[in-house]
Amino acid sequence: MNYQSQSVAKLYFIAAIGLFVGQILFGVILGLQYVIGDFLFPEIPFNVARMVHTNLLIVWLLFGFMGAAYFLVPEEAERELHSPLLAKVMFWIFLVAGALTILGYLLVPYAGLAQMTGNDLLPTMGREFLEQPTITKIGIVIVALAFLYNIGMTILKGRKTAISLVLLIGLLGLALLFLFAFYNPDNLVKDKFYWWWVVHLWVEGVWELILGSILAFVLIKTTGVDREVIEKWLYVIIAMTLITGIIGTGHHYYWIGTPEYWQWWGSIFSAMEPIPFFMMTVFAFNMVNRRRRNHPNKAALLWALGTAVMAFLGAGVWGFLHTLAPVNYYTHGSQITAAHGHMAFYGAYVMIVLAMISYAMPLMRGRKVAGSNRSQTVEMWSFWLMTVSMVFITLFLTAAGVLQTYLQRYSDEPLPFMVVQDKIEIFYWLREVAGVVFLIGLILYVISFFVGNSDPEAGGRCGRVRVVICAERHPRKCGDAFLCRCRRMCGFFL
């Protein structure tokens, strides 16, 4: 770790992983409620469990993005963070606000929570993914503004790189688009129209800029490929992301009362949305093939490559499967949508946050470069368990969605919704099994941070004299296996 203020990110990463565990636990509860309708009722009704599950997803990813920014930006700007104290204060405000909101969902009826938190004065509650009380939304805005000020001042006073600037643009877009969460018109068409400006333009717009910048940073650190090469790829990817993602919002406008031309615009540009994800996959593997170092942190590199592949499959391929208007007419709101959502979120955002945590946490915990071989082995087991189980979750939900679409919407004699749900119950049970395996993989990920911390070869002093050669080809004999004459923490041998 080159700058002391980077350690602020550790708080955010720990909170992110803790909230991630909570999200998956509620996901397992939801899976059981699909097949055992009265499971934990009335203590945790289905609508409350779903609300907690989705809100925890959003909040922990925001913690992950903020932690990644606090670690990445000082290194890119080559200076300490503008205000580590402000970062710590905002962390506790965000964490307390998030915890109180989740407790409010679980302990207070939603209508009562709205009344308690002043929703009558500024109505913002009641919309999917944006269920947070108005007071919580105001708190999020305050935290976001302080965060952007801290990051922005650090970048402005230091070195400007493509990675930090793309990250800053993505974070600014995230904050600005969230303001539409406060706009809640009475007209249902307008409500849905602008609601997607938050939900879609986050996950298929500005969040992808954050994803691209973090992925580029991790690849630079783990492959040693020239920054100029990676930055050129980054520019092209984000350009395609914004072109296709912004106009591609139209695939949500097909059936909500907007003009018919959105069926054309939405279909055409949504069909192009897999392109930047495919480019990201080619980019990641190309950088690894051209690498100039064998970085000891194999787990972080595995997560980075997994991000590119799973994002392409989940956001690209599964998104394309039902994005064309004639197909979406039948599949809209089915389990096919759920299949796409699960793999897309996991591939594009969950995995990149985990990649950043895997790269940064060993450094913030006093390791020179990477965790021990034992801890990385456990972590790679967690990678494969979570990734393979997510593939099966997606496949089971896809099968359920295809059968649901046919029986409920396409057949000559469509069946009622609940009758169809009974017929696809087997897929829900299979999805639940895969979800439990995913939880086991996540638990292994947490365990990996406590395994093999005494391994000297993972970055501590080796106690022997070695010849170390860094990217600049400066050989020097030194007692520290990873410190070169050019004063860079290289962590590789050539």
Side-chain angles (χ1 to χ4, degrees), residues 354-410:
L354 296 182
M356 190 65 182
I357 294 174
S358 295
Y359 172 77
M361 280 296 275
L363 301 176
M364 291 188 290
R365 298 178 68 199
R367 315 296 287 175
K368 292 295 183 181
V369 178
S372 68
N373 291 331
R374 288 177 57 200
S375 68
Q376 289 195 62
T377 299
V378 174
E379 186 177 342
M380 286 189 278
W381 267 101
S382 77
F383 168 90
W384 287 112
L385 283 174
M386 284 195 279
T387 303
V388 172
S389 62
M390 181 55 68
V391 169
F392 278 102
I393 288 171
T394 303
L395 292 175
F396 294 145
L397 288 174
T398 301
V402 170
L403 188 57
Q404 176 189 12
T405 300
Y406 177 77
L407 294 176
Q408 188 178 319
R409 300 174 178 177
Y410 192 77

Side-chain angles (χ1 to χ4, degrees), residues 174-224:
L174 184 155
L176 290 173
L177 289 169
F178 183 71
L179 296 178
F180 285 96
F182 292 90
Y183 181 55
N184 193 3
D186 294 330
N187 184 291
L188 186 59
V189 175
K190 287 184 177 180
D191 172 47
K192 285 296 182 183
F193 189 91
Y194 290 107
W195 178 78
W196 285 114
W197 283 33
V198 182
V199 178
H200 171 94
L201 290 176
W202 262 15
V203 300
E204 295 176 65
V206 294
W207 280 26
E208 291 184 25
L209 272 63
I210 299 170
L211 158 64
S213 60
I214 297 174
L215 181 61
F217 176 81
V218 173
L219 288 175
I220 284 176
K221 296 299 180 181
T222 56
T223 66

Side-chain angles (χ1 to χ4, degrees), residues 208-209 211-213 215-216 230-244 275-284:
E208 291 184 25
L209 272 63
L211 158 64
S213 60
L215 181 61
I230 287 182
E231 288 180 347
K232 288 176 183 177
W233 274 91
L234 182 60
Y235 284 134
V236 176
I237 290 171
I238 64 169
M240 285 300 300
T241 294
L242 292 178
I243 292 170
T244 60
I275 295 175
F277 286 102
F278 178 73
M279 294 171 63
M280 194 178 296
T281 304
V282 175
F283 158 64

Side-chain angles (χ1 to χ4, degrees), residues 321-357:
L321 287 178
H322 65 138
T323 196
L324 301 178
V327 177
N328 189 265
Y329 179 79
Y330 295 100
T331 61
H332 184 75
S334 69
Q335 292 298 329
I336 293 176
T337 304
H340 160 60
H342 277 77
M343 185 179 275
F345 261 104
Y346 175 71
Y349 303 118
V350 171
M351 294 184 83
I352 193 59
V353 171
L354 296 182
M356 190 65 182
I357 294 174

